[in-house]
Amino acid sequence: MVPPIVKRYLLAVNRYKWVIPAGVIVGLGAGGVVAVQPEPPLSYIGESILVSNAPPITFSTIGSQVRQPVEAFTAETLLTNEVIEGIAKEVDIQPDVLRKGTTIKVQAGGDAKDPAAQKAQVNIAYKDGDQKRAGDVISQLSRRLVEQSRLNNTARLRSIIGAIEQRLPKVKQELSDAERTLEQYDRVEGPQLFAAQDGNIIKSISGSQQQQQQLRLQLDGINAQISSIQAKLGLDPNQAYVSSALSADPIIASLRAQLQQIESQTSVLLKDLRPEHPQVVTLRKQQQAYEEEIRKRATEVIGGNGQVTPFIANVRQDSSLDPARQQLANTLVNLQTQKESLEQQIVSTIRSEQELRQQFSSIPNKQLERTRLEDQVKLKKNLYDQMQQKLVDARAAEVEIVSSLGLSQSPTVSPTGIKAPKSIPITLAVGAIVGLVVGAGVIFLLDTLEGTIYTAEDLREAIRQRDVVILGILPLVKSFIPNDSPILVNPDSPYAEYYERFRSNLRLTESKNLRVIMMISTIENEGKTVTAYNLAIASARAGKRTLLIEADLRSSSAAHQVNLTPDPDSQLEPLRYFGQISDCIRLAPDVENLYVVPSPGPQPTAASLLESSELRRLLEDARGRFDLVILDSPPLSRCNDALILEPFTDGMVLVTRPGVTQQSLLEEAIDQLTETASLRLLGAVTNGVEVQLPRTAEEALMNDAKQWLFNSEPENVVMSDRN
């Protein structure tokens, strides 16, 4: 079986037969032009090889590192503008010509551990028509490239020295700053770190705790003495201080004596006189004055800006201590003072202990900080030492710098471009073959750009890619009788089984209860009308009352194919024609159960007729009276009549044909029918496909042709392929 792409290409070759001869003629012409061209002039090529070069003795590390390896060279880095201009000036040649004729290839070496491995090398070639100039240029190139490599290595080394010298002062300053920071830290935090290392802080904390314990013992003894004296004296330390101070003041003692004398006189007078007596009143006023004086004096003695007023509420009582009680009061005041002093000492020692503990807890962080600063100094010092060492090594390498390239062999000049004379027959044959290949490619390109699908396989693939069901593969109806109709009126036709299979597939679709279907196509000549008639004939011969309505009102009727003559008045009055349902439906005389409504076309107002109530009543009546109604509609690219009739149908079948269907129109039509929810596309059929009939069927066709020849004896017999 021929592959689809080969079949498609053979069809394209059949359509564009002129392309291949034209390509061969053009190829022969081009070959002839090439054959008559004169031979190119003789040229010379100078060649030289540069290999890796190394100094005989090396004392420095940078000297070997700075040397650029041969593998790192490129044609751009070797063939600089300075080299080109210098050589061009010496040999008197244009720089552009020199650059164009020079070729430099860098070849990497093999494994360095293998002595037999090939070394890395640079191949230099220069092509020129002058032999002497070619030798001069290749010699100059070899010498200048070796010198250019040496200059490059020297420049790289000087660049390294300059970078180290530029960076070294900053590194030295960073080292000095790090050392100064460490020194300042030791000056500030060093004593504490040393004290922590010697254990002085721990000793100080222990001594503070012991001192607190001794002070608390002393404080407990003083508290016991204070409690004992308070129990005996009946006064707290503050009251004892006030009473002792008041009792020791002579003025208060004198005022208190005078006040007692006045009180005695008042008591005597009150025995004989009333309280309102002037003498009694005078004595009371004197008593109040002395009491006021005692209070003022008590305030002066005690002091405190009146803050001790609660302690001198009863001055006469508080200022009348006997010597023994006064001594106890003084002792109580002294003990209270000692107590407050001890409490203050305890608070101070606790604070000191807390400070020592805080210092001790911060010691690890300070030690870590000092270690970090010390590491920074070490790192800076190592970097500074390394840079000093690198600088010394780089300066020592200045005397060791040599070129990375060395001349492997002396430059040679040899002629090139010597070719055998051209063979005109071979040149013409090559041109013809090239023209043939180009012509074949042009045919393939034209076939691709045409857009028509020529093979049944490509057509089916295009339909499947749009997820549309293929309901049948319909054959190309062949006949050896001229002007024979492709409509299968003959019940013994070998092509009838394909339409019967199409009818069965149509019944097995998702919409199984199909009463009215419409045949559609994208363009004309795809065999839509023939497919509709043959499907109707297959349905009628299966015992189904079948009606075929020619709904293409823009074309003439094809009813004569089944021996029906259209009504001549239908074209003049189409509405009246469709309104008389019993008259417009005609029974086909040669096919049982087949009824046809011939088209009254062509009509200038086809769309309005399709939307008329008469045609709607015809479709409704046909749905109830027939088992299957088939509508033959105009192509979609021609008009929208099929979309007008679609609401009255149960679905549409798209008819395609290889060699006629356009891929772009097919894809556009399928997308429109499938993306619109109200439109129902049942599937598609591929019409006009060449099929292999059985031998008996072929013989039957030949017998029919012989019978026709015997009866009609035509002058010319032509095989008819129609669909």
Side-chain angles (χ1 to χ4, degrees):
M1 182 177 181
V2 180
I5 187 171
V6 176
K7 183 178 180 181
R8 176 181 175 182
Y9 186 76
L10 293 177
L11 292 174
V13 171
N14 188 38
R15 294 196 307 275
Y16 302 104
K17 300 182 180 67
W18 56 271
V19 175
I20 291 180
V24 173
I25 293 173
V26 172
L28 287 172
V33 172
V34 173
V36 299
Q37 293 295 323
E39 296 293 336
L42 188 64
S43 60
Y44 298 90
I45 184 169
E47 296 178 332
S48 178
I49 299 176
L50 303 179
V51 295
S52 177
N53 184 34
I57 301 176
T58 57
F59 297 97
S60 62
T61 304
I62 294 181
S64 59
Q65 294 177 350
V66 78
R67 189 171 59 86
Q68 187 176 8
V70 177
E71 293 83 353
F73 285 108
T74 61
E76 291 76 13
T77 58
L78 290 173
L79 205 62
T80 61
N81 292 330
E82 292 78 6
V83 173
I84 290 293
E85 292 174 358
I87 298 175
K89 186 176 181 181
E90 290 189 9
V91 299
D92 192 18
I93 192 174
Q94 293 295 327
D96 294 339
V97 177
L98 177 60
R99 185 184 295 274
K100 185 176 180 181
T102 304
T103 303
I104 296 179
K105 295 182 179 179
V106 180
Q107 183 176 352
D111 190 0
K113 298 180 180 180
D114 186 5
Q118 184 180 5
K119 294 183 178 180
Q121 61 184 24
V122 178
N123 299 324
I124 310 172
Y126 174 72
K127 188 176 182 181
D128 200 322
D130 188 345
Q131 183 177 5
K132 181 178 181 304
R133 187 166 55 190
D136 294 340
V137 169
I138 198 65
S139 298
Q140 290 286 338
L141 274 173
S142 301
R143 182 178 60 82
R144 286 182 177 269
L145 291 183
V146 171
E147 180 63 18
Q148 181 70 23
S149 174
R150 188 188 67 80
L151 294 176
N152 289 342
N153 292 341
T154 303
R156 293 178 66 187
L157 179 61
R158 289 176 180 174
S159 175
I160 293 174
I161 294 175
I164 294 175
E165 290 178 345
Q166 183 179 2
R167 174 64 176 160
L168 192 60
K170 185 177 180 181
V171 173
K172 184 177 180 181
Q173 182 63 36
E174 291 177 354
L175 175 60
S176 300
D177 293 342
E179 291 175 346
R180 192 178 302 108
T181 303
L182 179 59
E183 180 182 356
Q184 182 67 22
Y185 188 82
D186 286 341
R187 188 179 296 111
V188 176
E189 304 293 345
Q192 291 186 6
L193 294 176
F194 297 149
Q197 293 175 357
D198 296 340
N200 293 334
I201 295 179
I202 301 297
K203 294 178 182 179
S204 299
I205 293 174
S206 300
S208 177
Q209 292 177 349
Q210 293 177 1
Q211 185 179 2
Q212 292 177 28
Q213 186 176 5
Q214 293 176 0
L215 292 174
R216 286 191 176 91
L217 291 175
Q218 294 178 11
L219 184 61
D220 292 340
I222 292 174
N223 286 331
Q225 294 179 14
I226 290 174
S227 299
S228 176
I229 295 175
Q230 282 182 349
K232 294 177 181 179
L233 190 59
L235 298 174
D236 58 20
N238 291 329
Q239 292 174 348
Y241 167 73
V242 172
S243 298
S244 176
L246 294 179
S247 299
D249 186 63
I251 296 175
I252 292 178
S254 175
L255 291 173
R256 188 175 64 250
Q258 292 178 5
L259 186 59
Q260 290 178 352
Q261 185 179 359
I262 290 173
E263 289 177 349
S264 299
Q265 292 177 4
T266 301
S267 298
V268 173
L269 289 176
L270 284 175
K271 292 181 179 179
D272 297 329
L273 299 176
R274 292 181 300 174
E276 295 82 2
H277 193 273
Q279 291 183 358
V280 176
V281 173
T282 300
L283 290 174
R284 289 189 182 277
K285 289 181 179 180
Q286 290 179 357
Q287 180 182 355
Q288 293 176 357
Y290 282 126
E291 289 178 352
E292 184 65 28
E293 289 294 333
I294 289 175
R295 292 192 185 91
K296 290 180 179 180
R297 181 59 184 172
T299 303
E300 293 175 358
V301 171
I302 300 304
N305 296 325
Q307 295 181 2
V308 295
T309 302
F311 301 113
I312 58 173
N314 193 351
V315 179
R316 292 179 62 186
Q317 181 179 353
D318 294 339
S319 61
S320 60
L321 292 177
D322 57 83
R325 290 175 60 81
Q326 188 173 2
Q327 184 178 1
L328 289 175
N330 292 334
T331 302
L332 183 58
V333 171
N334 292 333
L335 291 174
Q336 181 65 26
T337 303
Q338 293 179 12
K339 176 183 177 182
E340 294 176 354
S341 176
L342 291 174
E343 290 177 346
Q344 186 63 33
Q345 290 180 16
I346 292 174
V347 171
S348 298
T349 55
I350 292 174
R351 187 181 302 111
S352 176
E353 180 186 356
Q354 291 177 351
E355 293 176 355
L356 291 172
R357 289 183 179 277
Q358 186 175 4
Q359 292 179 3
F360 185 75
S361 63
S362 64
I363 290 301
N365 293 333
K366 293 180 179 180
Q367 290 176 342
L368 290 175
E369 179 66 17
R370 190 185 185 286
T371 303
R372 186 182 65 81
L373 295 175
E374 190 176 8
D375 292 341
Q376 287 185 355
V377 172
K378 292 180 181 179
L379 291 175
K380 301 293 183 183
K381 184 67 169 57
N382 291 335
L383 178 60
Y384 179 74
D385 293 342
Q386 290 178 6
M387 293 187 69
Q388 286 280 16
Q389 183 180 359
K390 290 290 184 182
L391 182 59
V392 172
D393 188 72
R395 286 174 177 169
E398 288 182 325
V399 297
E400 303 173 358
I401 291 298
V402 296
S403 175
S404 299
L405 298 174
L407 188 61
S408 174
Q409 62 183 18
S410 300
T412 60
V413 179
S414 58
T416 184
I418 301 176
K419 298 180 180 178
K422 289 180 289 188
S423 175
I424 295 178
I426 294 177
T427 304
L428 293 176
V430 171
I433 293 173
V434 172
L436 179 64
V437 174
V438 172
V442 170
I443 290 176
F444 185 80
L445 179 62
L446 292 175
D447 178 67
T448 304
L449 297 177
E450 186 177 358
T452 302
I453 304 176
Y454 282 94
T455 64
E457 292 80 3
D458 293 341
L459 187 57
R460 289 197 297 270
E461 183 63 23
I463 296 173
R464 288 194 183 98
Q465 288 180 356
R466 287 294 189 275
D467 295 331
V468 176
V469 179
I470 298 179
L471 297 174
I473 305 299
L474 305 181
L476 175 66
V477 179
K478 297 181 180 180
S479 176
F480 297 96
I481 302 175
N483 300 324
D484 189 20
S485 172
I487 297 177
L488 307 178
V489 179
N490 184 5
D492 298 328
S493 174
Y495 300 105
E497 61 174 321
Y498 293 94
Y499 287 93
E500 178 61 28
R501 191 179 306 164
F502 169 35
R503 187 186 70 85
S504 301
N505 292 337
L506 193 63
R507 292 178 57 192
L508 297 176
T509 58
E510 295 181 358
S511 302
K512 295 183 179 180
N513 188 19
L514 296 177
R515 301 296 293 272
V516 181
I517 61 173
M518 180 167 54
M519 311 302 293
I520 60 174
S521 64
T522 57
I523 57 177
E524 296 180 354
N525 299 324
E526 289 183 306
K528 169 180 53 61
T529 301
V530 172
T531 302
Y533 267 97
N534 287 338
L535 176 63
I537 292 173
S539 175
R541 286 176 176 159
K544 306 293 182 182
R545 285 175 54 86
T546 306
L547 174 64
L548 173 65
I549 300 177
E550 292 185 339
D552 185 0
L553 304 184
R554 302 175 189 271
S555 303
S556 300
S557 173
H560 62 277
Q561 301 286 351
V562 291
N563 295 327
L564 284 177
T565 303
D567 188 356
D569 297 332
S570 62
Q571 189 172 6
L572 301 176
E573 297 181 0
L575 290 178
R576 182 179 179 183
Y577 171 71
F578 287 122
Q580 298 175 355
I581 298 176
S582 58
D583 294 336
C584 68
I585 298 177
R586 310 280 296 278
L587 175 64
D590 297 335
V591 182
E592 187 179 0
N593 294 327
L594 176 62
Y595 298 83
V596 180
V597 177
S599 169
Q603 293 291 330
T605 58
S608 60
L609 290 175
L610 295 177
E611 295 176 348
S612 64
S613 58
E614 286 81 1
L615 186 61
R616 185 183 301 113
R617 283 195 299 271
L618 172 62
L619 293 174
E620 293 175 352
D621 182 72
R623 180 184 289 273
R625 295 172 56 184
F626 293 93
D627 298 325
L628 179 64
V629 180
I630 302 174
L631 276 68
D632 179 23
S633 65
L636 295 175
S637 61
R638 184 176 172 188
C639 59
N640 291 330
D641 292 356
L643 302 181
I644 296 175
L645 294 171
E646 193 277 336
F648 304 103
T649 67
D650 296 328
M652 299 177 290
V653 177
L654 180 63
V655 179
T656 62
R657 182 172 183 174
V660 179
T661 301
Q662 299 288 330
Q663 184 171 1
S664 59
L665 295 178
L666 176 64
E667 294 175 352
E668 181 181 358
I670 292 177
D671 291 342
Q672 180 183 4
L673 296 175
T674 55
E675 292 176 0
T676 305
S678 59
L679 301 179
R680 291 160 291 182
L681 180 62
L682 301 176
V685 294
T686 303
N687 182 42
V689 179
E690 293 186 1
V691 297
Q692 185 66 36
L693 294 177
R695 185 175 182 84
T696 55
E698 292 282 354
E699 293 176 352
L701 291 176
M702 293 298 296
N703 292 332
D704 292 342
K706 292 177 181 179
Q707 184 66 30
W708 180 84
L709 286 172
F710 179 77
N711 295 331
S712 59
E713 296 182 357
E715 297 180 357
N716 298 316
V717 179
V718 181
M719 187 179 70
S720 174
D721 292 350
R722 298 186 59 188
N723 228 30

